[in-house]
Amino acid sequence: MAEYYFHTQQMAVGYDGKPLITDISVEIERGEIVTLIGPNGSGKSTILKSITRQLKLLGGSVYVAGEELRRLSYRALSTRMAVVLTERMKPELMTCRDIVATGRYPYTGRLGILSPEDEAQVDAAMRTVHALDLGDRDFNAISDGQRQRILLARALCQQPEIIILDEPTSFLDIRHKLQLLDILRTMAKQRGITAILSLHEIDLAQKISDKILCVKGDHVASFGTPEAVFREENIRALYDIDRGSYDPMFDSIELPRPEGEARTFVICGGGSGIPVFRALQKANTPFVAGILHESDVDHRLARLLAAEVVSERPFEPVSEAALGRALAWMERCDAVINAGPPLGAMNARVGELIERARGREGYREW
């Protein structure tokens, strides 16, 4: 059985003595990345602020390496835990190196004078986040992506065992999101630093996290591995999705399928249909897709976007019955789009469908 480095027991959090979320019990091993996801206002930041003692716990306990967090002095806590929040700092007349160096204050004397060892830690932290070239720059004059790297370097300067990050990717473009998360992954897996963060981008959360905590209103909806948590029904319930859908295989949020009678038939397979489906959805055109094996990647998306899918069982040759269903649908449609599916022994009858479609009015190849 795993010996958990960080865990909470029936933790309750909230404001002004009023619990917002209760019975929060999680177990985290050292070096794991744990991400909180959930709707806006669901309490993710409240949980993180309670863990970092910015808010008083309203119940339960938090333990780090067997020690209860509330019994640690703030100085002892700052050498174990570093925090990167979403609030934008605007310090006056401070360079990026000055900001990073503040991470060494838990280790300096009252005058805050850095020793050669402290200076070396500052250099090492800036090197880790690829920010040595920013050292002399005014912190207020750099980009959001550069600021996040500097704040992360400051956190690293504390030599923490845990880093808490509240929506660290909120102001970043995709390049800097990926760069920041890559740095976090390296820190966790190479240095054994535990990272607990909140993210809005559930596709990124699925890819980087060892565990996911789903927060919804007054309770934790689920806690577990991404494979266990990221299921279509779980995400739909967590975010109250009633229009559209979430597909965990594609890590994608899909708009609702077009409404109305389908008058377009898409002959597809092997991924050829995906760009056609997207184009028809953007045009708000209902469509039928086929003939698709249920294991086909096109089938995965068609089930969400198409009005009807003519399907066949996985690894079975397309049957006469399936061909008949497809021909019946095709006769009812005004337009037939041949997406150019690859043909083989298992879907040879799709070739027959294409031959029957060629020459008829409304037929076109994608």
Side-chain angles (χ1 to χ4, degrees):
M1 184 175 178
E3 190 172 314
Y4 295 111
Y5 171 71
F6 177 97
H7 72 278
T8 66
Q9 288 185 346
Q10 298 179 319
M11 183 172 71
V13 302
Y15 296 89
D16 301 322
K18 299 177 181 178
L20 175 64
I21 308 172
T22 60
D23 197 23
I24 306 168
S25 297
V26 299
E27 302 87 21
I28 304 171
E29 295 181 39
R30 186 159 192 160
E32 284 192 317
I33 297 176
V34 179
T35 303
L36 281 62
I37 65 171
N40 286 337
S42 61
K44 300 184 296 295
S45 295
T46 307
I47 291 174
L48 295 181
K49 288 178 179 178
S50 299
I51 289 174
T52 59
R53 287 172 50 177
Q54 295 178 55
L55 289 175
K56 183 179 179 181
L57 284 183
L58 300 184
S61 303
V62 179
Y63 295 89
V64 178
E67 292 189 74
E68 192 172 1
L69 206 66
R70 74 179 97 190
R71 299 187 183 280
L72 295 175
S73 69
Y74 280 102
R75 187 179 184 87
L77 180 62
S78 64
T79 62
R80 284 197 166 181
M81 181 182 292
V83 183
V84 180
L85 298 178
T86 52
E87 288 84 358
R88 296 197 181 192
M89 295 174 51
K90 288 193 176 180
E92 296 295 330
L93 302 176
M94 291 186 73
T95 67
C96 292
R97 186 179 176 82
D98 293 335
I99 295 293
V100 176
T102 61
R104 294 304 299 167
Y105 286 174
Y107 300 94
T108 63
R110 292 185 178 180
L111 297 179
I113 298 174
L114 301 186
S115 68
E117 180 184 346
D118 294 322
E119 297 285 1
Q121 289 292 338
V122 173
D123 289 336
M126 296 187 73
R127 189 178 301 110
T128 297
V129 302
H130 315 297
L132 280 173
D133 59 321
L134 299 175
D136 295 330
R137 297 273 301 275
D138 183 343
F139 180 76
N140 291 325
I142 59 176
S143 70
D144 287 329
Q146 291 169 329
R147 286 187 186 203
Q148 284 295 78
R149 281 190 285 151
I150 292 300
L151 293 177
L152 189 54
R154 182 184 67 167
L156 286 175
C157 254
Q158 293 176 228
Q159 296 179 276
E161 298 169 1
I162 303 175
I163 291 184
I164 310 292
L165 305 100
D166 190 12
E167 299 179 13
T169 60
S170 291
F171 305 113
L172 307 185
D173 60 33
I174 188 62
R175 174 194 169 193
H176 290 103
K177 288 178 194 285
L178 294 174
Q179 185 180 60
L180 180 70
L181 294 178
D182 182 50
I183 292 169
L184 282 177
R185 180 179 61 182
T186 300
M187 289 181 345
K189 303 313 170 189
Q190 293 185 5
R191 300 189 181 188
I193 297 174
T194 303
I196 305 174
L197 63 151
S198 60
L199 286 178
H200 283 300
E201 302 91 342
I202 60 175
D203 56 331
L204 295 178
Q206 183 176 12
K207 292 176 175 66
I208 194 176
S209 307
D210 296 297
K211 291 176 181 172
I212 300 287
L213 182 71
C214 298
V215 186
K216 184 177 182 182
D218 61 352
H219 68 288
V220 170
S222 58
F223 175 69
T225 64
E227 293 76 19
V229 168
F230 281 95
R231 299 181 182 274
E232 189 172 347
E233 62 274 15
N234 291 348
I235 299 302
R236 181 183 290 276
L238 178 63
Y239 290 96
D240 292 323
I241 299 174
D242 55 6
R243 295 283 294 167
S245 56
Y246 167 76
D247 190 311
M249 179 176 288
F250 289 113
D251 293 335
S252 63
I253 300 294
E254 301 294 344
L255 293 171
R257 61 171 56 89
E259 296 181 355
E261 183 183 3
R263 307 292 294 179
T264 299
F265 191 96
V266 182
I267 304 173
C268 52
S272 65
I274 291 175
V276 183
F277 302 162
R278 299 264 184 232
L280 292 173
Q281 186 193 47
K282 289 176 186 176
N284 202 33
T285 301
F287 64 92
V288 178
I291 304 167
L292 293 171
H293 286 92
E294 293 171 357
S295 55
D296 195 302
V297 67
D298 277 351
H299 188 280
R300 184 79 191 186
L301 187 60
R303 70 187 179 88
L304 301 177
L305 302 186
E308 185 72 30
V309 183
V310 180
S311 59
E312 184 57 84
R313 289 179 298 177
F315 311 112
E316 295 282 345
V318 172
S319 64
E320 284 287 350
L323 178 60
R325 292 196 302 272
L327 288 170
W329 270 109
M330 197 166 68
E331 289 302 317
R332 294 166 56 181
C333 291
D334 301 321
V336 177
I337 300 174
N338 177 6
L343 301 177
M346 291 296 100
N347 68 340
R349 285 192 172 93
V350 174
E352 296 179 38
L353 186 65
I354 292 172
E355 290 304 314
R356 297 280 288 272
R358 281 197 175 106
R360 61 171 284 168
E361 187 176 354
Y363 171 84
R364 66 188 178 99
E365 297 183 354
W366 187 260

